[in-house]
Amino acid sequence: MTTDQKQLIKATVPVLKESGLLLTTHFYRRVFAHNPELQNVFSQGNQQNGRQPAALATAVLAYAENIDDPS
C-alpha cells in the first residue's frame, strides 16, 4: 500500500467516527435489497438489533486508525 493510499484511509477516520454506523447500516440494507439470497448468510437478528452493522463499523474504523500497523 502506498503512502498516499494510507493517507487517504487516515483521512476517513473522522467520517467513520461520526457516521460509521450510518454507513454500515445503509451498506447492509443495500446488500440485502440487491442480493436477498445473502440474508441466509448473515444473522438477521443481528441486523435487526444493530449488532452486525456496529461490528462492521467498529472494524473498519479500527483498521483505518491503525493503517500504519494493522497487526
Side-chain angles (χ1 to χ4, degrees):
M1 184 172 294
T2 69
T3 301
D4 287 344
Q5 290 168 328
K6 286 182 180 182
Q7 291 304 318
L8 180 62
I9 291 169
K10 288 178 187 179
T12 68
V13 168
V15 173
L16 293 171
K17 283 183 177 179
E18 184 175 328
S19 301
L21 183 57
L22 179 66
L23 292 167
T24 57
T25 300
H26 177 72
F27 165 77
Y28 280 116
R29 283 187 189 136
R30 285 190 49 87
V31 165
F32 296 133
H34 294 282
N35 303 282
E37 68 277 8
L38 292 177
Q39 291 180 5
N40 296 327
V41 177
F42 294 88
S43 165
Q44 293 307 299
N46 286 340
Q47 292 299 324
Q48 297 299 322
N49 66 22
R51 285 186 179 154
Q52 186 68 41
L56 180 58
T58 301
V60 171
L61 175 59
Y63 184 80
E65 288 180 320
N66 296 286
I67 192 66
D68 289 322
D69 183 12
S71 63

